[in-house]
Amino acid sequence: MILFVDDEKLPQWFNLPENTHLAKTSESAYKLWMTEKYDVLYLDHDLGEIIDGSQLLNKLCIEGKKPDRVYCISLNATGVIRIEYVCKDYNIPFEDIGRKMMFRQFDIIGGQSG
């Protein structure tokens, strides 16, 4: 199963499968992750809270609930690096897809207006 954590975006932007759950806060993401069996984490860094995405990921790993894979959906370059470092610390495969999705949207918009 997949957990998508972002306080702004909708998972439909990413064409995620039906087995995707959405959390808009780090608190709700933590509760879901601790009670369900998720394999993949789509994670934003800036969650508009005291606990950011990298801190949430670190907390899950400390609890022994590390994901099998993390897709970072943040546009915050420093935040992406922080999430990547946590993934490296816990040997979690990591991919930064936030900027790829942003550029894809610009390509679509450019194609429609050109």
Side-chain angles (χ1 to χ4, degrees), residues 20-76:
T20 302
H21 292 167
L22 176 64
K24 297 242 179 209
T25 67
S26 56
E27 181 181 341
S28 63
Y30 179 79
K31 287 178 184 177
L32 282 169
W33 196 272
M34 296 305 283
T35 58
E36 299 285 334
K37 173 59 179 131
Y38 295 100
D39 306 303
V40 177
L41 182 61
Y42 281 76
L43 184 60
D44 187 19
H45 183 268
D46 302 322
L47 298 172
E49 301 178 17
I50 296 171
I51 296 178
D52 61 38
S54 61
Q55 293 167 324
L56 170 64
L57 178 58
N58 192 56
K59 186 175 180 178
L60 294 174
C61 293
I62 288 171
E63 296 283 336
K65 296 280 205 166
K66 75 176 193 172
D68 294 340
R69 175 172 290 282
V70 171
Y71 293 100
C72 185
I73 56 173
S74 183
L75 298 178
N76 176 335

Side-chain angles (χ1 to χ4, degrees), residues 5-23:
V5 185
D6 193 338
D7 62 337
E8 295 180 23
K9 298 167 191 67
L10 298 174
Q12 294 90 324
W13 284 26
F14 292 84
N15 296 321
L16 297 174
E18 290 182 22
N19 64 343
T20 302
H21 292 167
L22 176 64

